[in-house]
Every structure is written in C-alpha cells, then in structure tokens.
Amino acid sequence: MDLTKARQQAEALLKALTREAYLCGAGLKPESERAAIYDRFAELTSLTVFRDLQARAAMASPPEQRLLAALLEWLGAVLVEQAAASLLDRVETQEAQARVRVDGEEMTFRQAEIRLEQSPEPQTRRALQAARLEVIAACNPLRRDAVERMHETAWRLGFPHYRALAERLSGLDLTGLEAEGRRFLRETEDMYLDLLRWYLRRALRVHPKEAASHDLAHLFRAPDEDAHFPPGDLVLSAHRCLERMRLDPTGQGRITLDLEPRPTKSPRAFCAPLDVPREVVLVVAPRGGREDYTAFFHELGHALHFAHTDPELPFELRYLGDQGVTETHAFLLGSLIGNSQWLKYFLKVDQPESSARLAAFHRLYLARRQAAKLGYELVLHGAESLQGLEEVYAGALAGAVRVEWPATLYLADVDPWFYTARYLRAWWFEAQLEQYLVERYDEEWYRNDRTGGFLKELWHRGQSRSLEELGSELGLEALTPDQLIRDLTARLS
Ligand SMILES: [Zn+2]
C-alpha cells in the first residue's frame, strides 16, 4: 500500500472508530461493533503496512519523520487494540445491558454508578459498589483474554512486550515518568493524608480504616454543593466566560452539545472529534452539581482545541501526536471550577472557599491516582503472565489514595496505550501553563479580553507540538511535577 493511500485509510478508520465510540457512549446505539469496522480496513491494519512504515520512519528526515512516527505509533496501537476488539465489544455490550438489583430495586449498571455517588449512606454505597463489581467481575475473563491477545500482538510486531512497544513508538520515557510520579507521591504524601483524614471525618463521617473508593466517589460528587452549580447555568456560565475572553463558545458553529439524559449514556463525559476541525460533539450525561461542571468544562477544552485546529495541518497533526496537549487544554478549562474568584464572578457563589478547596483536593487525588496507575500499568504490560496482578493493582492504588481499593478493577481500570501517562504529563503542564497565564494575563486571566487570542493561537497548532516543545516555545521550565506541587500546596495549606 502506498503512503498516500495508507494515510487516507488511517484517517477514515480513525473517524469511523470515533463515530462508533460516540454513538455507543452517547447511548444512541446499543451494541459496539468495532471489530466489524476493523474488518473493513484489513488492508491497512496488517503487519506488512506496519513494517513498511517502520522502515520509512527510520529513513525519513525531520518534517516527514514526525508524521511517519505519529502514524506508526497510531497503527501500532490500532493493531494491539484490533486483536482484542471483538472481546472488548462483548465487554462493552454486556456492561451496557447489565442490570443490578440493590435493596429490591433494579437499575442499569451505569445508573448504579450515578446512584452510588449520590448516596449519603455508607452502607448503601457499599451495597451498590458490590453489585457493580459483580458485573465487572463477570466480564473479567473476557478482559483477561483481551489483554493476552494484546500482549501477543506486541510480541508478533517484534517487541519483547506491550510496554516496550508503546515506549518505543510513542518516544515517551515511561520509566522516567513513573519515577517522577513516585516523587510526586512522596512529596504530596503528608498534605494528602491530612486532608483525607479531615474530609473522611468531617464530610463523610467514615472512619479512615473503613473508608473505600466508593466513599471518595461520594465526596467528590459533593451533593451538598449542588445549589452552587445549577444545571441551568452550566452552558451559560461557560459561554459568558468565553465571551469575556473574546472567544466563540461554539467554535464558529463547529461544536455541537449533547446534554440530553439517556439511560444507557456513558456516565463518563467525553468529546468526540468526528471531523477535526469541522465537526466536534461534546457529550455529557448530566447528573447535577459540581462534577457536571468540571466534566463539561474539561470536554469543552477538548472541543475548543479541536474546533480551532488549523484545517491545513496534515491528518497526523490534527488527530495524533502528543495527546497530553489536548488534555492540557481540557484541564485548563476544567480548573476554572476550582477557582474561587471564578466561582464568585460567574456563578455568584458567596463563599466559594470550601468548594475551591475540595476541587484542589480532587485534583491532588486524581494526579496521585494516575501516578500509581502508571506504575501498575508498566508492570501489567511488561508481565509474562497475569497471575497475581489483582493484588499488585489494589496495593498500588490503595497505597496512593489511602483507602480500600477494589482489586476486581485490575483490568477494567486500565487506559489503552498508557494514556495515563498523557494525563499525568498534562496535569503537570497545565499547572505551568496556568502560572504563565496568571503572569501574562493577570490573576483573573479568564476575564481578560486578550487571553482568547493567545489560546486560539495555541489551539490552532492542533497536535503539531509535544508538551516539551510547547513549553520551550513559551519559555516554561522543564516538564516536572514541581509547579503542580507548589500550586496545590498554596491552595490546600
Ligand atoms: Zn480529556
């Protein structure tokens, strides 16, 4: 297959997969059929094309080399995913259709998660979580087969394991990143533990020895704060803020919102870049409250980034490359929901301090969780067998977040292709970028009419730079967790 055709096919396949994920995630299509999509692109997703791209990438010089490396990385990830697609389709369908029964009441698996977060009673949360975990456990044999197929594919592509494949093709130093993640865990340990104990006692009334992941899910859902976050102001507050920065919230009509509740809609908000930059859909399942706002602003950050991407960029630089870039834009907008001045100004919250503090604690928790998850995923995808990994997973997660953590999630709570590393890098970079905006555009940069022009210029670059390259263009420090640690310490002490 010649290169032009390979690139066209790659773009078509990526769009088809994105559309499928959108339809299923939005609850508009009952069954995921990724395997059937891959079948239509059998010519592209072959070992021959992979080897050919590998050879071309090794020979190419800089501008072409970047495109080929991005395409090769994407194809590697696709081949791994494709090997497991039929199994993962079954998992998705099974979970979308699963129903659970708790205290005599029947609900869908996805509704149970929403109910769990809202429930003020620790016993009810535990019962709901147990019912959810049963559904997840029932799918674990399929997930185990899926991971084994992925590992075999990495080996077939000529790498000792999945970890080596991803590390080589992405060019990310995952081992170095994990070490920085461990430093982040160490340096934030005392602060995290103090706050955790305080929240468990004061907000949840749960003894630290009995606290579990589902209790924290309720803490961060924070139903007591719902009055500060009225559903009717969700879109409005975002629009008002963007307009203050002279930004068009619809990205010249390219961004469509899907906020409608549907029973089988994914509880996890997402942005579907169906055709970058022309067609972007933002999907949020509204549950009410603070988390809706955080999720909506996060996804709006992605949507604005994609909708403002330079249409002239080659496909590889509109879609592929360093996904930490798009996550940074998303985290930046999401961070507004934890900003007390923003809450005061745009949502008229009189005393926003406790809400801002909870948001900062949530950010600390998430970054710690990602750091631990990366450590675990490196073990998982470097392992010869999956024996004993449940304990490794639960130990790593519980060690970082310091509450009981369900081992059952050891295969369900794994992001494809070390996406966890992208999140972690984005948390670090976002803190640096926010600091830059404060210095350049004032403490309240989100109300400055000059900020929009700057952001548009960043978004316009699409995915054509890595975080390191963006950082050096902006004159930022090297990418480390230091600014995030400083920022969290200032907000939380
Ligand atoms: Zn995101």
Side-chain angles (χ1 to χ4, degrees), residues 298-299 302 327 330 423:
H298 177 98
E299 299 308 326
H302 283 305
E327 291 307 330
Y423 282 132

Side-chain angles (χ1 to χ4, degrees), residues 100 102-103 105-121 124-125 128-129 132 214 218 221 223 267 287:
V100 301
V102 178
D103 293 338
E105 199 186 334
E106 204 186 82
M107 62 196 94
T108 67
F109 172 68
R110 285 171 175 175
Q111 281 164 340
E113 183 180 351
I114 297 172
R115 188 71 69 84
L116 182 158
E117 292 177 354
Q118 284 168 343
S119 176
E121 277 302 312
T124 313
R125 290 198 292 267
L128 283 159
Q129 177 74 329
R132 290 188 66 249
H214 49 260
H218 177 63
R221 169 61 186 77
R287 335 178 187 193

Side-chain angles (χ1 to χ4, degrees), residues 169-460:
L169 297 191
S170 69
L172 279 185
D173 172 13
L174 296 174
T175 312
L177 191 63
E178 194 227 350
E180 280 290 84
R182 266 188 279 121
R183 177 166 75 84
F184 177 76
L185 287 172
R186 265 196 318 275
E187 293 187 15
T188 57
E189 179 82 1
D190 292 346
M191 172 165 61
Y192 178 79
L193 267 180
D194 281 352
L195 287 156
L196 176 68
R197 286 196 199 104
W198 189 87
Y199 277 116
L200 288 176
R201 232 184 5 250
R202 300 291 289 272
L204 288 171
R205 301 185 194 288
V206 172
H207 193 278
K209 286 203 174 121
E210 283 158 19
S213 58
H214 49 260
D215 297 315
L216 295 186
H218 177 63
L219 173 72
F220 297 128
R221 169 61 186 77
D224 293 351
E225 289 191 15
D226 282 4
H228 295 333
F229 300 98
D233 283 351
L234 178 69
V235 177
L236 211 65
S237 62
H239 284 199
R240 280 205 307 265
C241 173
L242 292 170
E243 277 154 12
R244 283 301 294 257
M245 292 190 274
R246 296 200 181 205
L247 286 165
D248 172 3
T250 71
Q252 286 100 44
R254 292 163 162 175
I255 302 171
T256 314
L257 298 184
D258 176 354
L259 300 166
E260 211 179 294
R262 286 182 207 104
T264 51
K265 203 174 190 181
S266 160
R268 198 168 168 175
F270 65 98
C271 164
L274 297 175
D275 183 8
V276 177
R278 284 168 284 274
E279 192 187 0
V280 183
V281 188
L282 206 164
V283 184
V284 182
R287 335 178 187 193
R290 196 182 73 89
E291 294 250 76
D292 271 1
Y293 273 72
T294 312
F296 177 70
F297 277 68
H298 177 98
E299 299 308 326
L300 184 61
H302 283 305
L304 287 163
H305 172 220
F306 291 125
H308 285 89
T309 289
D310 179 0
E312 300 301 320
L313 284 173
F315 144 75
E316 293 87 336
L317 306 183
R318 281 180 285 125
Y319 284 95
L320 312 179
D322 188 349
Q323 302 297 334
V325 173
T326 192
E327 291 307 330
T328 297
H329 297 315
F331 283 149
L332 183 71
L333 281 213
S335 78
L336 294 173
I337 308 309
N339 184 310
S340 31
Q341 288 310 316
W342 189 92
L343 292 170
K344 241 184 201 167
Y345 190 83
F346 288 100
L347 291 180
K348 310 280 174 259
V349 182
D350 280 340
Q351 289 173 318
E353 290 73 21
S354 74
S355 195
R357 202 173 161 75
L358 181 64
F361 179 58
H362 196 187
R363 179 142 62 129
L364 171 59
Y365 159 86
L366 287 172
R368 287 178 65 85
R369 194 177 116 70
Q370 297 295 355
K373 224 157 88 80
L374 177 61
Y376 163 70
E377 288 182 9
L378 286 171
V379 175
L380 167 71
H381 291 315
E384 301 241 322
S385 101
L386 304 183
Q387 207 76 40
L389 286 176
E390 277 146 295
E391 287 71 37
V392 176
Y393 168 76
L397 271 289
V401 301
R402 298 307 199 102
V403 294
E404 180 194 318
W405 198 271
T408 309
L409 298 179
Y410 80 116
L411 297 174
D413 182 29
V414 172
D415 290 310
W417 204 249
F418 292 101
Y419 203 84
T420 279
R422 304 294 181 184
Y423 282 132
L424 203 52
R425 284 160 52 82
W427 282 121
W428 301 348
F429 192 79
E430 190 273 336
Q432 296 182 324
L433 181 61
E434 215 179 312
Q435 178 63 20
Y436 177 92
L437 290 172
V438 166
E439 281 166 15
R440 289 287 178 104
Y441 299 100
D442 189 56
E443 196 69 46
E444 296 186 34
W445 53 268
Y446 44 81
R447 283 172 57 192
N448 186 332
D449 60 9
R450 290 184 303 121
T451 314
F454 169 77
L455 289 178
K456 263 200 271 191
E457 213 170 281
L458 272 189
W459 295 334
H460 190 71

